[in-house]
Amino acid sequence: MESVSSAALPLFLGGLLLLTGTHSTFISVPPVLHGVRGRPLLLPVKYNFTTANVDIQGDWKLQDTMLVVFRNHNVISNPSMEHRHTFLPPNASLLINVLEDKAEGQYKVDIRLKFADRPDFIEESRVVRVIVNVPVSKPNIHMSPVSPVVEDTDNVTLTCSVENGSHVQYRWFRDGVPVGAGDRYSFSGDNGKFVISPVRKEDIGDYVCQVSNHISEERSRPVPLSVFYGPYNLEVSSQQGLRTGEVFTINPGELVLFDCHADSNPPNTCVWISKSCNSTKVVMKGPRLEVMSEKLAHAEEYVCRAFNNVTRKQDETQFTLVVASLGTGKAKHLQTGSSVSPLAVITISCLIIIACMLLILFRRSCRPHRVIMDMYNRNHKPLMDQKRTHLSGHEDATEDFGIYEFVTIPGKSDSTRASSKSLSGLNSVQDLHATIYDVIRHIPETPTQGLMK
């Protein structure tokens, strides 16, 4: 039963090939193989059929040079290349013992199959491309020109090279970011050469070349590119005065310093120009201008002109200087962003002072009531406490001195308990209704004399 099946399989495959018109199902070979120089490399051939009862014949060629010829287990090798290869039939795979540069190329394998149930041979051919790789060494960058270049005028060429390496691929980076093709950028076929034409300020940075192949990768050291450019973003600034747009306002008699600065390489040469009364004159050279306001008219125009001696470019900016008394306006302007204004502080302070004054007046106005209550309490003490010996009845009247309100002493029922000290001299009940003013009139004008008696 098994013998019938094994005999029927080649017949079935042969019929299938006749119907489809292709032989691609019998062997499989990779189209490209990468190897490392000095190491072995196997060129594998995979059979997609059972080798039993099949006559297998074939050969390997490198370009047009025959390497081996085999039939089943018999092998005939090229004597000049026998030591370079190992071949173990009926497996058709070829082993290259040591890869050399000359081993690189296209290898072709031809297979002829003779099945027992078919009178003719089935032929298969495959081509394998062998690539011999050499590990890349650390690359170097050569920049031309070496000296700094001028923007919009000069071109820069960067060339990347390696001492060792095969099938090298190149990539360029500026400050860690890959550099691609652009309007001003061009590359050679393998990207080993990079040209910037013309160079500009944005090309400034550190350039790195990366080299790689299928077995290794290396990067060069950074190479800086310096570019002369500018001036850009010219501006005048000052720490004194009050600025509104392009107008500076300063106090009379104030010394004001102006600084003129721009983005430029190398630094600019600055010239200060004064415009007044339809006349123009150079007042100072250098990045800083000193102005004494007392020597100015009410308003005067100034120009800062910056010039780059290398790029031969220049730029200028104009401003107006006004002499006027800023007063508190400047302080108010500087405190615009403050959360509490000076007016609010003054208002709060005034309210606090008024509140304190009202509190003091209130405390003073309430003091007579407290004195009267003390007198009332003394008048209601037991008579035995009030009959203590004293000289005049007014010896301690100095304690009651002050400003009093006009009030009446309580009613008749309480009159009999009145103190002889405070009510002495009253002859009738009717007098109990006298005011405090009447009582005070009986106090001696000079209390100290009463105490001396």
Side-chain angles (χ1 to χ4, degrees):
M1 187 72 178
E2 293 179 357
S3 61
V4 174
S5 299
S6 61
L9 180 59
L11 181 61
F12 172 76
L13 291 176
L16 181 61
L17 293 174
L18 291 175
L19 292 175
T20 60
T22 178
H23 298 168
S24 60
T25 58
F26 284 94
I27 62 174
S28 299
V29 177
V32 180
L33 289 173
H34 289 271
V36 181
R37 186 173 64 180
R39 297 182 182 180
L41 179 65
L42 178 66
L43 282 61
V45 177
K46 179 182 179 182
Y47 291 148
N48 298 326
F49 59 90
T50 303
T51 58
N53 299 323
V54 180
D55 184 12
I56 303 176
Q57 304 177 20
D59 59 73
W60 278 96
K61 295 177 182 179
L62 173 57
Q63 312 297 348
D64 294 330
T65 303
M66 183 67 69
L67 301 178
V68 295
V69 178
F70 67 96
R71 181 174 184 179
N72 295 329
H73 294 278
N74 300 319
V75 179
I76 301 175
S77 298
N78 185 338
S80 62
M81 305 183 70
E82 184 176 4
H83 64 284
R84 299 179 183 177
H85 309 93
T86 299
F87 190 78
L88 298 175
N91 189 340
S93 299
L94 178 68
L95 176 65
I96 303 175
N97 298 327
V98 178
L99 273 181
E100 299 175 352
D101 291 339
K102 58 185 177 182
E104 184 171 295
Q106 289 188 343
Y107 290 75
K108 183 179 181 181
V109 58
D110 293 319
I111 301 293
R112 293 175 295 278
L113 303 176
K114 177 66 172 67
F115 294 97
D117 59 335
R118 295 193 57 180
D120 54 344
F121 283 85
I122 298 176
E123 297 184 358
E124 293 280 340
S125 296
R126 297 288 185 275
V127 175
V128 182
R129 183 186 175 192
V130 174
I131 300 175
V132 180
N133 292 288
V134 178
V136 295
S137 59
K138 194 175 185 64
N140 296 312
I141 296 179
H142 174 71
M143 182 183 295
S144 177
V146 179
S147 59
V149 292
V150 180
E151 68 170 352
D152 297 323
T153 301
D154 296 332
N155 302 332
V156 175
T157 301
L158 296 94
T159 304
C160 186
S161 61
V162 292
E163 294 183 0
N164 299 312
S166 60
H167 308 285
V168 181
Q169 297 179 350
Y170 299 87
R171 291 190 67 190
W172 293 92
F173 295 84
R174 180 180 64 245
D175 296 333
V177 179
V179 179
D183 296 338
R184 298 181 296 108
Y185 299 160
S186 60
F187 299 87
S188 61
D190 59 355
N191 289 344
K193 182 180 291 186
F194 171 38
V195 179
I196 306 175
S197 175
V199 70
R200 291 181 181 170
K201 174 190 173 183
E202 55 265 30
D203 299 323
I204 296 175
D206 292 334
Y207 286 81
V208 171
C209 173
Q210 175 184 289
V211 294
S212 63
N213 55 19
H214 282 80
I215 61 172
S216 61
E217 178 180 297
E218 292 287 346
R219 286 197 173 199
S220 69
R221 63 176 180 83
V223 174
L225 173 61
S226 181
V227 179
F228 291 128
Y229 65 89
Y232 297 122
N233 304 320
L234 183 63
E235 185 180 4
V236 173
S237 63
S238 177
Q239 298 298 324
Q240 293 88 20
L242 178 63
R243 180 173 184 175
T244 306
E246 298 302 324
V247 178
F248 288 87
T249 305
I250 60 175
N251 284 312
E254 184 178 9
L255 173 63
V256 184
L257 303 178
F258 293 95
D259 292 310
C260 187
H261 45 84
D263 185 11
S264 177
N265 181 33
N268 300 301
T269 300
C270 295
V271 175
W272 296 89
I273 301 172
S274 172
K275 294 182 177 181
S276 60
C277 300
N278 298 325
S279 64
T280 300
K281 65 177 180 178
V282 176
V283 294
M284 190 172 293
K285 294 182 179 181
R288 171 163 288 187
L289 172 66
E290 296 183 1
V291 178
M292 282 297 299
S293 59
E294 60 186 12
K295 298 180 180 181
L296 298 178
H298 180 70
E300 190 166 341
E301 293 184 355
Y302 284 89
V303 174
C304 174
R305 181 175 296 164
F307 180 75
N308 190 317
N309 295 322
V310 177
T311 63
R312 316 305 296 177
K313 295 180 180 180
Q314 72 177 23
D315 192 10
E316 65 180 35
T317 182
Q318 180 173 320
F319 64 95
T320 302
L321 186 58
V322 177
V323 179
S325 179
L326 295 175
T328 59
K330 179 180 178 182
K332 180 179 180 181
H333 176 80
L334 296 177
Q335 297 176 3
T336 301
S338 177
S339 59
V340 180
S341 65
L343 181 60
V345 174
I346 295 173
T347 303
I348 294 174
S349 301
C350 292
L351 291 176
I352 294 175
I353 294 173
I354 293 173
C356 294
M357 295 178 64
L358 290 176
L359 179 61
I360 293 173
L361 293 175
F362 178 75
R363 290 174 60 88
R364 289 182 177 179
S365 64
C366 292
R367 184 174 178 181
H369 296 285
R370 187 165 57 252
V371 174
I372 294 173
M373 291 303 296
D374 291 341
M375 294 174 60
Y376 180 82
N377 291 333
R378 287 198 300 269
N379 293 333
H380 287 73
K381 286 183 179 181
L383 294 175
M384 60 179 298
D385 294 334
Q386 298 180 10
K387 292 180 179 180
R388 61 182 179 273
T389 306
H390 53 278
L391 297 176
S392 63
H394 300 285
E395 68 276 7
D396 48 3
T398 55
E399 298 178 359
D400 299 330
F401 273 49
I403 301 173
Y404 296 91
E405 296 180 6
F406 291 93
V407 295
T408 59
I409 296 176
K412 297 180 180 181
S413 61
D414 297 329
S415 63
T416 58
R417 303 178 189 177
S419 172
S420 61
K421 172 186 174 183
S422 58
L423 300 177
S424 60
L426 297 180
N427 298 323
S428 64
V429 177
Q430 183 66 27
D431 293 332
L432 289 176
H433 295 281
T435 63
I436 294 299
Y437 175 77
D438 295 330
V439 175
I440 292 176
R441 285 190 307 175
H442 293 84
I443 297 175
E445 294 181 0
T446 56
T448 55
Q449 296 178 0
L451 292 175
M452 293 175 62
K453 290 180 180 181

